[in-house]
Coordinates of all heavy atoms in Angstrom, one line a residue:
V624 N -90.4 -42.0 -54.4 CA -90.3 -43.5 -54.4 C -91.7 -44.0 -54.1 O -92.2 -43.9 -53.0 CB -89.4 -44.0 -53.3 CG1 -89.3 -45.5 -53.2 CG2 -87.9 -43.4 -53.6
A625 N -92.4 -44.6 -55.1 CA -93.7 -45.1 -55.0 C -93.9 -46.2 -53.9 O -93.1 -47.1 -53.9 CB -94.2 -45.6 -56.4
C626 N -94.8 -46.0 -53.0 CA -95.0 -47.1 -51.9 C -93.8 -47.3 -51.0 O -93.6 -48.5 -50.7 CB -95.6 -48.4 -52.6 SG -97.0 -48.2 -53.7
A627 N -93.1 -46.3 -50.9 CA -91.8 -46.4 -50.0 C -92.3 -46.8 -48.5 O -93.2 -46.3 -48.0 CB -91.0 -45.0 -49.9
R628 N -91.4 -47.8 -48.0 CA -91.7 -48.2 -46.6 C -90.4 -47.9 -45.7 O -90.3 -46.8 -45.3 CB -92.0 -49.8 -46.7 CG -93.2 -50.1 -47.5 CD -94.6 -49.5 -47.0 NE -94.9 -50.1 -45.6 CZ -96.0 -49.8 -44.8 NH1 -96.7 -48.9 -45.3 NH2 -96.2 -50.5 -43.7
K629 N -89.7 -49.0 -45.5 CA -88.5 -49.0 -44.6 C -87.3 -48.4 -45.4 O -87.2 -48.6 -46.6 CB -88.2 -50.2 -43.9 CG -89.4 -50.8 -43.2 CD -90.0 -49.9 -42.2 CE -91.3 -50.5 -41.6 NZ -91.1 -51.8 -40.8
C630 N -86.4 -48.0 -44.5 CA -85.1 -47.5 -45.3 C -83.8 -47.7 -44.3 O -84.1 -47.8 -43.1 CB -85.1 -46.0 -45.7 SG -85.3 -44.9 -44.2
Y640 N -81.0 -47.4 -48.8 CA -81.7 -48.5 -49.4 C -83.2 -48.3 -48.9 O -83.4 -48.2 -47.7 CB -81.2 -49.9 -48.9 CG -79.8 -50.0 -49.3 CD1 -78.7 -49.7 -48.5 CD2 -79.3 -50.5 -50.5 CE1 -77.4 -49.7 -48.8 CE2 -78.0 -50.6 -50.9 CZ -77.0 -50.2 -50.0 OH -75.6 -50.4 -50.4
V641 N -84.2 -48.5 -49.9 CA -85.6 -48.3 -49.5 C -86.5 -49.4 -50.1 O -86.3 -49.8 -51.2 CB -86.2 -46.9 -50.2 CG1 -87.6 -46.6 -49.7 CG2 -85.2 -45.8 -49.9
T642 N -87.2 -50.0 -49.1 CA -88.1 -51.1 -49.4 C -89.4 -50.5 -49.9 O -90.0 -49.5 -49.4 CB -88.3 -52.1 -48.4 OG1 -88.8 -51.5 -47.2 CG2 -86.9 -52.8 -48.1
T643 N -90.1 -51.2 -50.9 CA -91.4 -50.8 -51.4 C -92.4 -51.9 -51.4 O -91.9 -53.1 -51.4 CB -91.3 -50.1 -52.8 OG1 -91.0 -51.1 -53.7 CG2 -90.3 -49.0 -52.9
E644 N -93.6 -51.5 -51.4 CA -94.7 -52.7 -51.3 C -95.7 -52.6 -52.4 O -95.5 -51.9 -53.4 CB -95.4 -52.7 -50.0 CG -96.2 -51.5 -49.7 CD -96.9 -51.5 -48.5 OE1 -96.8 -52.5 -47.7 OE2 -97.8 -50.6 -48.2
G647 N -95.1 -52.6 -56.5 CA -93.6 -52.4 -56.6 C -92.8 -53.1 -55.6 O -92.0 -52.4 -55.0
S649 N -90.1 -54.3 -54.0 CA -88.7 -54.3 -54.5 C -87.8 -53.6 -53.4 O -88.4 -53.0 -52.5 CB -88.5 -53.5 -55.8 OG -89.0 -52.2 -55.7
C650 N -86.5 -53.5 -53.5 CA -85.6 -52.7 -52.7 C -84.9 -51.7 -53.7 O -84.3 -52.3 -54.7 CB -84.7 -53.6 -52.0 SG -83.5 -52.7 -51.0
I651 N -85.0 -50.6 -53.5 CA -84.5 -49.4 -54.4 C -83.2 -48.9 -53.7 O -83.2 -48.6 -52.5 CB -85.5 -48.4 -54.7 CG1 -86.6 -49.0 -55.4 CG2 -84.9 -47.2 -55.4 CD1 -87.8 -48.0 -55.7
L668 N -88.4 -58.1 -55.0 CA -88.4 -59.2 -53.8 C -89.9 -59.4 -53.5 O -90.8 -58.8 -53.9 CB -87.7 -58.6 -52.7 CG -86.2 -58.2 -52.8 CD1 -85.7 -57.4 -51.8 CD2 -85.4 -59.5 -53.0
P671 N -91.0 -57.2 -49.4 CA -89.8 -56.7 -48.6 C -90.3 -55.7 -47.4 O -91.3 -54.9 -47.7 CB -89.0 -56.0 -49.5 CG -89.7 -55.5 -50.6 CD -90.9 -56.6 -50.7
D672 N -89.7 -55.8 -46.4 CA -90.1 -54.9 -45.2 C -88.9 -54.3 -44.6 O -88.3 -53.4 -45.1 CB -90.9 -55.7 -44.2 CG -91.6 -54.9 -43.1 OD1 -91.6 -53.7 -43.3 OD2 -92.2 -55.5 -42.2
G673 N -88.3 -54.8 -43.4 CA -87.3 -54.1 -42.8 C -86.1 -54.4 -43.6 O -85.8 -55.4 -44.2
V674 N -85.1 -53.5 -43.6 CA -83.8 -53.4 -44.3 C -82.8 -52.9 -43.3 O -82.9 -52.1 -42.5 CB -83.8 -52.6 -45.6 CG1 -84.2 -51.1 -45.2 CG2 -82.5 -52.6 -46.2
V684 N -82.3 -57.7 -46.2 CA -83.7 -57.3 -46.4 C -84.6 -58.5 -45.9 O -84.4 -59.6 -46.1 CB -84.1 -57.1 -47.9 CG1 -85.5 -56.6 -48.0 CG2 -83.1 -56.0 -48.4
C685 N -85.7 -58.1 -45.0 CA -86.7 -59.0 -44.6 C -87.8 -59.2 -45.6 O -88.4 -58.1 -45.9 CB -87.2 -58.5 -43.2 SG -85.9 -58.4 -41.9

Side-chain angles (χ1 to χ4, degrees):
V624 178
C626 304
R628 299 294 291 181
K629 308 299 178 61
C630 64
Y640 305 92
V641 185
T642 57
T643 66
E644 62 173 8
S649 61
C650 183
I651 295 176
L668 299 170
D672 192 4
V674 56
V684 183
C685 298

